[in-house]
Amino acid sequence: MADHGRAAKLGDQVKEIIAKRLDKGLRDPRLGFVTITDVRMTGDLQHAAVFYTVYGTEQEREDSAAALKAATGMLRTEVGRNIRTRLTPTLEFIPDAIPENAAHVASLLAEARERDSAAAALAAAAEYAGDPDPYVQPRDRADDDEE
């Protein structure tokens, strides 16, 4: 049975180790401004999925992905030196979709605001379909006496 607590703790350690190593710098000029967002370990602690984001253009993202792929062996060695496990986990770098998802949600919220303001403008100019006062009014007593 897998110990999920231990996997989470080891994932946090791996995240710290990789982030510190990237902060020191790699000798690869393709590496841009990379942020490690999350590390998820498998239950047997033999594989680590490392999620990252890159600040910059699409070309900088692609270059950083290639640099991380090229540095995977060196980063795995660094992780192996700094953790206390029998086996060093393999590393897989996965681009995190948080910025794209956030931009999509922001655009959806802007569209919803526009539609709400359009609906409010229509409601402000709307009129009732029937009489202005659709409720039955009590008759005056003077009208009753004449009949």
Side-chain angles (χ1 to χ4, degrees):
M1 189 103 197
D3 183 9
H4 298 293
R6 183 166 184 225
K9 286 180 186 177
L10 187 62
D12 288 341
Q13 285 179 341
V14 170
K15 177 181 172 182
E16 250 183 67
I17 293 165
I18 293 173
K20 284 180 183 177
R21 183 62 185 107
L22 291 178
D23 191 35
K24 287 181 187 175
L26 298 177
R27 293 185 181 163
D28 197 335
R30 298 176 295 178
L31 188 68
F33 186 71
V34 176
T35 302
I36 304 299
T37 56
D38 193 20
V39 174
R40 295 190 186 147
M41 302 289 298
T42 57
D44 59 0
L45 307 178
Q46 292 188 12
H47 183 75
V50 181
F51 294 91
Y52 68 94
T53 59
V54 179
Y55 182 75
T57 64
E58 187 62 35
Q59 182 62 39
E60 289 173 333
R61 289 183 190 129
E62 291 173 6
D63 290 344
S64 294
L68 286 172
K69 185 173 184 176
T72 300
M74 186 270 300
L75 291 172
R76 184 174 182 220
T77 302
E78 187 79 19
V79 168
R81 286 185 191 139
N82 292 300
I83 61 171
R84 303 274 188 249
T85 59
R86 186 169 60 92
L87 299 172
T88 302
T90 59
L91 302 177
E92 177 186 11
F93 289 95
I94 302 169
D96 205 347
I98 290 175
E100 290 83 12
N101 290 344
H104 180 65
V105 168
S107 69
L108 290 175
L109 288 173
E111 182 182 342
R113 269 189 234 103
E114 289 173 9
R115 288 184 180 186
D116 285 346
S117 63
L122 286 174
E127 294 180 10
Y128 291 107
D131 294 330
D133 189 10
Y135 299 105
V136 176
Q137 300 295 324
R139 293 187 288 181
D140 290 334
R141 296 225 180 244
D143 294 338
D144 289 341
D145 294 338
E146 291 176 8
E147 293 176 6

